[in-house]
């Protein structure tokens, strides 16, 4: 039809009618083309990439959580939301620095060790209180009760809680075995938050709260001879190269918290938000299932690498640490407030 319209015509009136017909045809096509372009643009702008990070290796429980979350989010949103992960402190952002890095736009979020976040709000240090929980079931129930407080603390700082990971129980890695109370003052010890630093100092150790990278540097330079961390944290970092003894003091079952910047989450459509939260819930359940056998697997790996595991821990050591913990717990309760303290009291009664 178009070639016919453009053929030379003998009469001016016919030429005018042909031109008008061609113009009408072009105008009728334009809205449809604009609609297609708009749809494509909408699809492109709806695609979102979140950069997330952890200071722990990919095979650590924190790294496994981020890997699982990225996979679940991609599946549930059909690729509209993509999570790209950086492991092993690749971005040089430790747990305590992650909230600021997210708000500054360097990352969308991350998986941070909760104890390192307690400077934001004391309630985020609840899971690192010494000897509060001694089982997976109690750790799960306690954190479930505390979750609204975690969410509130993060939301006040522009962050959205995604999921919580419970870690295997914390123990003491050391250069030498711990035989009696006189061994505690000989420890140049890396602790993982303010609470544990206070407790270990009260017990007589020379304790320092250090991010993992700084702690590893101190270990390699022989400024440290002990670490407070789980078998998971130690195995992931191969602490057995320097610290061939692990004492299972069951100090705490701390958590890490995965979060994203609140405005990044709010930019998603409501259907996408629901899918992301469903992916986060699935990740949390997967992490809990992983925890069931994680300690056994870690201990097997540690023994294969020459680690001597003292389990149960010597009674004198646990007694000294429990005694040293009393003032630190009381001080935390004063800072954390009534709601958090009520959860601690509930956990003690279980």
């Amino acid at each position: 039809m178009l070639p016919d319209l453009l053929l030379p015509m003998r009469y001016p009136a016919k030429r005018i009618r042909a031109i008008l017909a061609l113009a009408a045809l072009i105008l009728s096509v334009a809205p449809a083309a604009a609609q297609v372009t708009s749809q494509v643009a909408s699809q492109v702008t709806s695609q979102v990439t979140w950069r997330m990070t952890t200071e722990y290796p990919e095979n650590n429980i924190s790294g496994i959580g981020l890997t699982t979350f990225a996979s679940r989010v991609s599946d549930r949103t059909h690729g509209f939301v993509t999570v790209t992960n950086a492991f092993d402190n690749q971005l040089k952002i430790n747990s305590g620095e992650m909230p600021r890095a997210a708000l500054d736009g360097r990352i969308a979020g991350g998986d941070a060790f909760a104890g390192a976040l307690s400077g934001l709000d004391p309630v985020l240090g609840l899971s690192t209180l010494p000897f509060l929980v001694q089982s997976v079931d109690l750790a799960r129930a306690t954190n479930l009760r505390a979750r609204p407080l975690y969410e509130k603390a993060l939301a006040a700082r522009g962050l959205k809680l995604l999921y919580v990971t419970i870690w295997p129980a914390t123990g003491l890695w050391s250069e030498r075995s711990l035989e009696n109370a006189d061994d505690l003052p000989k420890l140049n010890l890396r602790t993982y938050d303010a609470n544990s630093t206070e407790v270990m100092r009260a017990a007589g150790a020379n304790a320092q709260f250090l991010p993992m990278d700084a702690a590893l540097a101190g270990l390699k330079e022989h400024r440290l001879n002990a670490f407070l961390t789980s078998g998971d944290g130690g195995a992931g970092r191969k602490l057995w190269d320097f610290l061939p003894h692990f004492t299972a003091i069951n100090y705490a079952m701390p958590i890490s918290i995965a979060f994203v910047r609140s405005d990044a989450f709010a930019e998603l459509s409501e259907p996408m938000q629901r899918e992301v939260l469903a992916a986060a819930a699935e990740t949390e359940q997967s992490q809990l299932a992983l925890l069931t056998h994680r300690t056994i697997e870690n201990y097997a790996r540690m023994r294969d690498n020459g680690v001597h595991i003292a389990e149960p821990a010597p009674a004198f050591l646990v007694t000294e640490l429990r005694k040293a913990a009393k003032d630190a717990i009381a001080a935390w309760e004063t800072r954390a407030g009534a709601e958090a303290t009520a959860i601690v009291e509930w956990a003690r009664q279980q």
Side-chain angles (χ1 to χ4, degrees):
M1 180 177 178
L2 286 177
D4 292 338
L5 290 171
L6 297 174
L7 285 175
M9 297 180 182
R10 184 176 299 177
Y11 302 105
K14 289 184 177 181
R15 291 195 192 100
I16 293 171
R17 285 197 297 271
I19 290 169
L20 290 174
L22 179 60
L25 181 60
I26 291 171
L27 290 173
S28 69
V29 171
Q35 185 177 5
V36 170
T37 302
S38 176
Q39 289 174 348
V40 171
S42 176
Q43 289 178 355
V44 170
T45 56
S46 67
Q47 292 177 335
V48 172
T49 298
W50 287 351
R51 182 69 158 162
M52 300 185 72
T53 187
T54 174
E55 62 180 316
Y56 298 97
E58 192 168 359
N59 65 347
N60 170 272
I61 197 167
S62 175
I64 292 171
L66 281 186
T67 300
T68 302
F69 179 64
S71 175
R72 298 288 171 88
V73 166
S74 179
D75 289 346
R76 280 193 159 272
T77 66
H78 303 287
F80 281 116
V81 181
T82 300
V83 177
T84 61
N85 291 318
F87 303 100
D88 212 4
N89 207 12
Q90 177 187 350
L91 303 182
K92 305 303 179 187
I93 302 171
N94 62 48
S95 291
E97 295 168 341
M98 285 181 197
R100 174 47 54 191
L103 297 177
D104 288 346
R106 287 183 285 159
I107 54 175
D111 185 272
F113 185 75
L117 302 178
S118 59
L120 295 180
D121 191 306
V123 73
L124 297 173
L126 189 153
S127 69
T128 66
L129 291 178
F131 308 108
L132 180 64
V133 301
Q134 298 283 290
S135 71
V136 172
D137 288 343
L138 183 54
R140 182 185 184 188
T142 302
N143 284 295
L144 188 62
R145 286 174 175 262
R147 189 187 187 99
L149 301 185
Y150 300 156
E151 291 176 338
K152 181 180 178 181
L154 292 176
R157 288 151 184 87
L159 304 170
K160 172 75 175 176
L161 189 152
L162 294 171
Y163 63 87
V164 169
T165 293
I166 301 173
W167 284 54
T170 300
L172 265 175
W173 292 73
S174 57
E175 194 172 57
R176 295 180 175 83
S177 62
L178 303 177
E179 304 292 344
N180 54 62
D182 293 338
D183 290 325
L184 286 171
K186 298 174 185 177
L187 298 182
N188 293 318
L189 172 68
R190 177 262 178 177
T191 52
Y192 52 45
D193 69 348
N195 285 340
S196 57
T197 302
E198 187 176 346
V199 171
M200 290 299 167
R201 285 178 179 173
N206 177 25
Q208 305 174 63
F209 169 29
L210 295 171
M212 186 58 78
D213 273 10
L216 290 172
L219 192 59
K220 292 173 182 176
E221 295 165 6
H222 302 288
R223 290 182 284 108
L224 297 175
N225 61 10
F227 255 59
L228 183 72
T229 189
S230 66
D232 205 274
R237 294 292 189 170
K238 299 182 180 180
L239 290 185
W240 50 68
D241 289 341
F242 302 92
L243 307 174
H245 295 270
F246 181 82
T247 305
I249 58 174
N250 293 328
Y251 177 87
M253 296 189 73
I255 62 170
S256 61
I257 296 176
F259 62 85
V260 71
R261 202 169 56 250
S262 296
D263 60 2
F265 182 79
E267 287 171 1
L268 301 177
S269 66
E270 287 189 11
M272 288 297 100
Q273 290 180 1
R274 287 195 295 270
E275 295 302 329
V276 167
L277 292 180
E282 290 170 356
T283 301
E284 187 163 315
Q285 290 303 310
S286 176
Q287 292 290 87
L288 190 64
L290 178 68
L291 181 62
T292 305
H293 305 291
R294 191 71 174 175
T295 297
I296 295 172
E297 294 168 356
N298 285 335
Y299 281 10
R301 186 179 174 198
M302 289 157 66
R303 289 189 174 101
D304 286 345
N305 285 275
V307 177
H308 303 279
I309 299 174
E311 186 187 29
F316 84 88
L317 182 58
V318 175
T319 299
E320 287 296 317
L321 293 177
R322 283 183 176 273
K323 187 190 307 180
K326 290 180 180 179
D327 288 345
I329 294 173
W332 179 88
E333 289 177 336
T334 300
R335 295 192 303 270
E339 287 184 286
T341 298
I343 294 171
V344 171
E345 288 302 321
W346 175 86
R348 284 185 179 133
Q349 294 170 15
Q350 303 311 302

